[in-house]
Amino acid sequence: MAIFSPKKQWMRWLAIQLFVISIVLLLVFVVYLFSLDKQVQEQFEGKRWQVPSRVYARPLELYEGKELSRKQLTYELGLLRYSKNKKHKIGTYYQRRNSVYIYTRPFQFWDEEQSAILLEVKFKRNKINSIWDVNTGESLDVWRLEPLFIGGIYPKKQEDRILLRLDDVPDKLIETLLAVEDREFYRHYGIAPLSVLRALVANIRAGARVQGGSTLTQQLVKNFFLSNEKTISRKINEALMALLLEWRYEKDEILEAYLNEIYLGQDGNRAIHGFGLAAQFYFDAPLESLNEAQIALLVGLVKGASYYDPRRFPDRAKQRRHVVLKVQERLNLTTLENVMLYDQSPLGISENKPSGITRYPAFMDLVKRQLHEDYRPEDLSSEGLRLFTTIDPWQQNVLEKSIATRLPKLIEKAERKKAKLQVAAMVSDSGSAAVRALVGSRDFRSQGFNRALNAKRQIGSLIKPAVYLTALDQPDEFNLVSLLQDSPIKIALDNGEYWSPRNYDKTFHGEVSLMNALANSYNAATVRLGMKLGLERVGETIKNLGLKRQFALYPSLLLGTTNMTLLEVLQMYQTISEQGFQTPIRAIHTVTTANGEVLSKYPIQVEQTINAESMYLLMKALEEVVNNGTAVYARKKISEKIKFVGKTGTTNDYKDSWFAGFTGDKVAVVWLGDDDNRPVGLSGSSGALRIWTDVIAKTAKRSLELSLPTKITFAKVDAVVHKESEVKCISDIVLPFISGYEPKRRSGVSCVEN
Amino acid sequence: MSKTRNQQANINYFIRIFLCSMLLTGLFACTTTSEKTTSIDQPVTIDEPEIEEHEKVVIVSPPSVKKHASVPVVKRLLSKSNKKFKAKEYHAAANLIERGINISPDDPILWQRLAAIRLEEGNYKQAKQLATKSNVLIEGDPDLREINNGIINQAKKMQNSNK
């Protein structure tokens, strides 16, 4: 029997141990590979990237008869980055005689896809006379310019990108990229040891890094999964994952992912990923329009986007661009002459850095608020949704300019009172209740406290229409000429104290007509009326006007001590402008996926909460505010062709200055005040009304024409009015009354007797 | 004794005369002071003093009724919307109407079309409200009003049948 020697036994034992250890290590390695593979699949499939939602303004509609100045049209074209150029290239325009020629961009709207055309817009004075498709000679009924991109809703990582398909990417860019970063891309399996050696030699020869050692696949893995740390374990992981990626996916898929993932710059908190967004960020142009030099610059950034940042380090960027241009020349993608020409040329970086930081932060606030109910924050910031909003860039521009012009003088006045004046304002459309402009602070770009949405302030006399509407809704007791007593009143409060409201002019006016009491905003008459009607009834009217939340019913409510936001005030006056139909204020109308599939619609909705007859009478009373009352300044400044109504509001000690009013097409509310509630020394008339007037004078196009409800009768009556501190009895005023409730006598005080 | 009896008889006689006189006087007063008899069932009416001519309110004709006419671009949008409506593409039809409302918010035909679309979609509450809004905006078009009332009635009927 053969007996193994001790040495051979030991060797045998060692071999077995090594075998077992190898099996175990192999098993561990396989398990590890499986986990890496799972990571690769999870990232690559389904939600590959966090693509932020893209938010758009309203598109400018062009049609025959539209009142539009050429100034406004060229302003909007400028915002959309249309350049002045006669070369009939997409994204250009020029003017000739009475026409503006625009080569429009294609766009996928929420309801249809619109192709690019060469459009002629013929003007006659400040109106569009006709619009034409220049190539077909066809007259067009209506055409929309693509909507302005106003910002994105970003993920927490603050990445931003414009998704590209491989077919969208210019061949020159792909060839340049592969030549500089990975010549063997279509041949290797994820890692290329020979390429590393080749790159090393080439870089030593050139004295610069002209070739990269990592493959594109490895770079993609690094961007997708790994950190920037330069450790051996990270390098090993990178290599393994690159192999797995190549094993699972096609070369074109990997390349497409790379083109969308590669880090190419920083804009504040926003990281610029992918060539699509980089083209926009650096050149303010679409990728397909870039020339060789611009492509060379972008490809050069791959090596180090921060180090070669063309805005911060233009010299380095130029040198890097030259290196890449030489590679292009070797590939015959450009000529030597062009290289020399480009070397002498500036980088061509856009001065207007299109920022992901929105131009309209206060409005974006409202957009997010309205979406919050239907979408989780992570969906908004990662699914690449397209949000179509209602903001009108021209209206916003006019609102901001009006405020900027008026504010310095008003600030001066407020500062005498040691107050820091702030402002908030909103403009919406009649009918659709679409928000067209929003300012939340005197710093329009501030992302801070949004006073239009969040500042709850006393509204003063802005509440009075609700009181008078409650009265007019009882036609058996009240009509426009009903006599009210504007005399001292003392009301017992729950705490045992008494409240004695006074008028702003510190006097009482005796008998006044209801219409006149509202026009002159008499406090005593209003409180007497409100107490007679009952606070519950007035509260019900306020709810019917659109204030949804609970509020206390104190007597001082009648003079507007209830705190409201500007948005809530706008909703109330929107209902008045809609003749008693509550129409929810909207900032968004449609949400689609990145591919254009409609996910949510926010349509126009109405609900009649106040009868049309009572509202008609209220509007007539509000006309008096403008014609003879506290808003007469606006009547003098706005064209006679535009009829409008509104109400001033001033709170105690002049702490808040308000004006709310509307024309046939616009509803607008303006507020001025101090965040710390210090008096600003401005009444509704001397403050907010001025800004309101400036905005409406420049943008309102339709006069307010009230539709006559069926149950209204007109009658000649006398009315007691107060005008310029005089008491007058005016005979033969024709006024509306609810049918069946016309007064029998002309007036309590007969003008004939007087 | 007989003298006392006679005196008593005379007193009784005079009392009876007095009472009858009072009764007759009362009856006479009632017939001469009021033309109408009063009773518990009939209300008392008091004539109001007549209003003098110069104090009477004069009813006047309403201001001239504004005739509605859709602007050309709205007519075009309405036409496109109608085609979509007939093809049962209600979302597309509504989108076109909303574009029209942005241009002409007081055009009652637009609101009516939107009401009709909502009716077809089964949104009866909105169909009623939109048709009511259209009615408020109409002034001199009874045909339009009749169509709106038709939509309102249909919506009510459908709502009731769904309950």
Side-chain angles (χ1 to χ4, degrees), chain A residues 117-120 130-143, chain B residues 76 80:
Chain A
I117 61 164
L118 180 57
L119 190 71
E120 181 189 355
S130 55
I131 57 172
W132 301 85
D133 180 337
V134 174
N135 290 329
T136 63
E138 199 187 320
S139 162
L140 300 169
D141 300 307
V142 60
W143 197 262
Chain B
R76 189 73 191 111
K80 281 183 182 173

Side-chain angles (χ1 to χ4, degrees), chain A residues 61 63-64 110-112 141-144 429-432 434 436 578-579 581 583 586 589-590 601-609 612 616 664-665 702-703 705-710 712-718 734 737 742-747 750 752-753, chain B residues 48-66 71-74 76-77 80 84 91-92 94-107 111 114 118 123 125-126 128-139 145:
Chain A
E61 299 243 27
Y63 53 86
E64 181 196 322
W110 59 91
D111 53 358
E112 65 175 3
D141 300 307
V142 60
W143 197 262
R144 291 181 280 194
D429 268 5
S430 296
S432 65
R436 297 301 185 194
E578 305 303 338
Q579 292 195 236
F581 285 82
T583 312
R586 305 180 301 152
H589 60 82
T590 313
K601 267 231 62 132
Y602 299 89
I604 297 173
Q605 294 196 304
V606 301
E607 186 186 352
Q608 188 178 33
T609 51
Y616 186 87
D665 57 346
R702 295 170 82 93
S703 180
E705 302 291 345
L706 299 178
S707 299
L708 183 62
T710 47
I712 290 285
T713 309
F714 284 81
K716 260 190 209 175
V717 293
D718 299 338
V734 175
F737 298 89
E742 306 86 352
K744 292 194 171 40
R745 289 178 179 277
R746 293 172 77 101
S747 158
S750 169
V752 173
E753 280 171 13
Chain B
E48 286 183 2
E50 206 170 310
I51 301 172
E52 293 187 36
E53 205 52 45
H54 66 268
E55 284 187 351
K56 280 184 184 169
V57 156
V58 174
I59 305 296
V60 301
S61 313
S64 55
V65 162
K66 59 175 187 189
V71 297
V73 63
V74 166
R76 189 73 191 111
L77 289 168
K80 281 183 182 173
K84 295 287 182 187
H91 285 315
N95 282 333
L96 288 158
I97 297 299
E98 290 200 1
R99 280 173 73 184
I101 289 173
N102 286 334
I103 296 167
S104 284
D106 56 358
D107 187 329
W111 294 97
L114 197 54
R118 298 299 177 226
N123 189 345
K125 186 179 172 192
Q126 274 303 296
K128 276 192 308 191
Q129 293 292 339
L130 291 161
T132 306
K133 171 129 189 177
S134 176
N135 269 345
V136 165
L137 294 171
I138 290 167
E139 284 195 1
R145 197 177 290 281

Side-chain angles (χ1 to χ4, degrees), chain A residues 413-414 417 419 421 653-656 672-674 678-682:
Chain A
K413 215 168 168 181
K417 301 269 179 189
L421 192 67
D653 299 326
Y654 296 89
K655 287 180 182 173
D656 300 86
L672 294 164
D674 175 288
R678 285 178 283 237
V680 293
L682 296 166

Side-chain angles (χ1 to χ4, degrees), chain A residues 396-516:
Chain A
Q396 180 74 24
N397 179 53
V398 169
L399 178 61
E400 289 177 5
K401 280 211 161 110
S402 303
I403 292 171
T405 307
R406 279 280 173 192
L407 218 51
K409 283 200 180 125
L410 298 176
I411 286 172
E412 214 180 280
K413 215 168 168 181
E415 278 173 357
R416 278 184 232 139
K417 301 269 179 189
K418 302 204 187 321
K420 189 169 180 220
L421 192 67
Q422 269 295 354
V423 65
M426 286 180 76
V427 182
S428 62
D429 268 5
S430 296
S432 65
V435 175
R436 297 301 185 194
L438 196 163
V439 159
S441 163
R442 68 194 228 191
D443 175 3
F444 307 133
R445 309 288 162 251
S446 160
Q447 305 216 358
F449 185 52
N450 188 335
R451 287 156 194 82
L453 307 186
N454 299 320
K456 287 196 172 130
R457 306 288 299 203
Q458 293 192 0
I459 65 169
S461 301
L462 288 193
I463 202 72
K464 283 176 182 161
V467 181
Y468 287 83
L469 182 58
T470 311
L472 292 167
D473 210 26
Q474 294 170 65
D476 51 337
E477 281 193 67
F478 297 102
N479 55 50
L480 290 174
V481 293
S482 296
L483 288 174
L484 305 181
Q485 281 297 332
D486 186 58
S487 56
I489 177 171
K490 204 167 160 184
I491 294 171
L493 302 174
D494 290 343
N495 59 7
E497 291 178 8
Y498 288 91
W499 178 49
S500 303
R502 294 188 299 167
N503 292 324
Y504 279 106
D505 60 2
K506 312 274 192 287
T507 61
F508 296 100
H509 308 93
E511 260 187 351
V512 294
S513 67
L514 182 145
M515 186 170 71
N516 209 232

